[in-house]
Coordinates of all heavy atoms in Angstrom, one line a residue:
S282 N -15.9 11.5 7.6 CA -15.6 12.0 6.2 C -14.9 11.0 5.4 O -14.9 11.1 4.1 CB -14.7 13.3 6.4 OG -13.5 13.0 7.1
V290 N -0.6 0.9 4.6 CA -0.1 1.9 3.6 C 0.8 1.1 2.6 O 1.5 0.2 3.0 CB 0.7 3.0 4.3 CG1 1.4 3.9 3.2 CG2 -0.1 3.8 5.2
E296 N 5.2 3.1 -14.1 CA 6.0 3.7 -15.2 C 5.2 4.8 -15.9 O 4.0 4.6 -16.3 CB 6.4 2.7 -16.2 CG 7.3 3.2 -17.3 CD 7.8 2.2 -18.3 OE1 7.4 1.0 -18.2 OE2 8.6 2.5 -19.2
G320 N -7.5 0.2 -4.8 CA -8.5 1.2 -5.1 C -7.8 2.6 -5.3 O -7.1 3.1 -4.3
H329 N -3.6 6.6 -14.3 CA -3.3 6.9 -15.7 C -2.2 5.9 -16.2 O -2.4 5.3 -17.3 CB -2.8 8.3 -15.8 CG -2.3 8.7 -17.2 ND1 -3.2 8.9 -18.2 CD2 -1.0 8.8 -17.7 CE1 -2.5 9.2 -19.3 NE2 -1.2 9.2 -19.0
L331 N -1.4 2.8 -15.0 CA -1.8 1.4 -15.0 C -2.9 1.1 -16.1 O -3.1 -0.1 -16.4 CB -2.3 1.0 -13.6 CG -1.3 1.0 -12.5 CD1 -1.9 0.6 -11.2 CD2 -0.1 0.1 -12.9
R332 N -3.5 2.1 -16.6 CA -4.5 1.8 -17.7 C -3.7 1.3 -18.9 O -4.3 0.6 -19.8 CB -5.3 3.1 -18.0 CG -6.3 3.4 -16.9 CD -7.2 4.5 -17.4 NE -8.2 4.9 -16.4 CZ -8.1 6.0 -15.6 NH1 -7.0 6.7 -15.7 NH2 -9.0 6.3 -14.7
L337 N 3.9 -3.0 -12.1 CA 3.9 -2.1 -10.9 C 4.6 -2.9 -9.8 O 4.9 -4.1 -9.9 CB 2.5 -1.8 -10.5 CG 1.6 -2.8 -9.8 CD1 0.6 -2.2 -8.9 CD2 0.9 -3.6 -10.9
L341 N 5.6 -2.2 0.6 CA 5.0 -2.1 1.9 C 6.0 -1.5 2.9 O 6.9 -2.2 3.3 CB 4.5 -3.4 2.4 CG 3.2 -3.9 1.7 CD1 3.6 -4.8 0.5 CD2 2.3 -4.7 2.6
P348 N 7.5 9.1 7.9 CA 7.8 10.5 7.5 C 8.0 10.6 6.0 O 7.6 11.6 5.3 CB 9.1 10.8 8.2 CG 9.0 9.9 9.4 CD 8.5 8.6 8.9
V350 N 6.6 8.6 3.7 CA 5.3 8.5 3.1 C 4.5 9.8 3.2 O 3.9 10.2 2.2 CB 4.5 7.4 3.8 CG1 3.0 7.4 3.4 CG2 5.1 6.0 3.6
L353 N 5.6 12.3 0.6 CA 5.0 12.0 -0.7 C 3.6 12.4 -0.8 O 3.1 12.6 -1.9 CB 5.2 10.5 -1.0 CG 6.5 9.9 -1.5 CD1 6.5 8.4 -1.4 CD2 6.8 10.4 -2.9
V362 N -2.1 19.5 -12.6 CA -2.7 18.9 -11.4 C -4.2 18.8 -11.6 O -4.9 19.7 -12.0 CB -2.4 19.8 -10.2 CG1 -3.0 19.2 -8.9 CG2 -0.9 19.9 -10.0
S365 N -9.5 17.9 -8.8 CA -9.8 17.5 -7.4 C -8.6 17.6 -6.5 O -8.8 17.5 -5.3 CB -10.2 16.0 -7.5 OG -9.2 15.2 -8.0
K366 N -7.4 17.8 -7.0 CA -6.2 17.9 -6.1 C -5.7 19.4 -6.0 O -4.7 19.6 -5.3 CB -5.1 17.0 -6.6 CG -5.5 15.5 -6.6 CD -4.3 14.7 -6.9 CE -4.6 13.2 -6.7 NZ -3.4 12.3 -6.9
R367 N -6.2 20.3 -6.8 CA -5.6 21.6 -6.8 C -5.8 22.3 -5.5 O -6.9 22.2 -4.9 CB -6.3 22.5 -7.9 CG -5.9 22.0 -9.3 CD -6.7 22.8 -10.4 NE -6.5 22.1 -11.7 CZ -7.2 22.3 -12.8 NH1 -8.3 23.1 -12.7 NH2 -7.0 21.6 -13.9
R390 N 9.2 -3.5 -14.9 CA 10.1 -2.3 -15.2 C 10.1 -1.3 -14.0 O 11.2 -0.8 -13.8 CB 9.6 -1.6 -16.5 CG 9.9 -2.3 -17.8 CD 9.4 -1.6 -19.0 NE 9.8 -0.2 -19.0 CZ 11.0 0.2 -19.4 NH1 12.0 -0.6 -19.7 NH2 11.3 1.5 -19.4
A395 N 13.8 0.7 -1.9 CA 14.8 -0.1 -1.2 C 14.5 -0.1 0.3 O 14.8 -1.1 1.0 CB 16.2 0.5 -1.4
E396 N 14.0 1.0 0.9 CA 13.7 1.1 2.3 C 12.5 0.2 2.8 O 12.4 0.0 4.0 CB 13.5 2.5 2.7 CG 14.7 3.4 2.7 CD 15.0 3.9 1.3 OE1 14.3 3.6 0.3 OE2 16.0 4.6 1.1
E420 N -6.9 -5.1 -10.2 CA -6.5 -6.4 -9.7 C -5.2 -6.7 -10.3 O -5.0 -6.7 -11.5 CB -7.5 -7.5 -10.1 CG -8.9 -7.3 -9.5 CD -9.9 -8.3 -10.0 OE1 -9.5 -9.4 -10.3 OE2 -11.1 -8.0 -10.0
I432 N 12.6 -10.3 8.5 CA 11.2 -10.5 8.8 C 10.8 -11.9 8.3 O 9.6 -12.2 8.3 CB 10.3 -9.4 8.2 CG1 10.4 -9.4 6.7 CG2 10.7 -8.0 8.8 CD1 9.3 -8.4 6.1
I440 N 6.6 -15.2 6.2 CA 6.9 -13.9 6.9 C 6.6 -14.1 8.4 O 5.6 -14.6 8.8 CB 6.0 -12.8 6.3 CG1 6.2 -12.6 4.8 CG2 6.3 -11.5 7.1 CD1 7.7 -12.2 4.4
D441 N 7.5 -13.6 9.2 CA 7.4 -13.8 10.7 C 6.5 -12.6 11.2 O 7.0 -11.5 11.2 CB 8.8 -13.7 11.3 CG 8.7 -14.0 12.8 OD1 7.6 -14.0 13.4 OD2 9.8 -14.1 13.4
W445 N 7.5 -8.6 11.6 CA 7.0 -7.7 10.6 C 5.8 -6.8 11.1 O 4.9 -7.3 11.7 CB 6.5 -8.4 9.4 CG 5.6 -7.7 8.4 CD1 4.3 -8.1 8.1 CD2 5.9 -6.5 7.7 NE1 3.8 -7.2 7.2 CE2 4.7 -6.2 7.0 CE3 6.9 -5.6 7.7 CZ2 4.6 -5.1 6.2 CZ3 6.9 -4.5 6.9 CH2 5.7 -4.2 6.1

Side-chain angles (χ1 to χ4, degrees):
S282 59
V290 174
E296 184 177 3
H329 175 76
L331 292 180
R332 287 188 182 100
L337 72 153
L341 285 90
V350 172
L353 280 169
V362 176
S365 61
K366 295 187 174 185
R367 289 174 193 162
R390 285 181 52 79
E396 289 81 1
E420 298 177 25
I432 66 170
I440 301 299
D441 184 352
W445 161 239

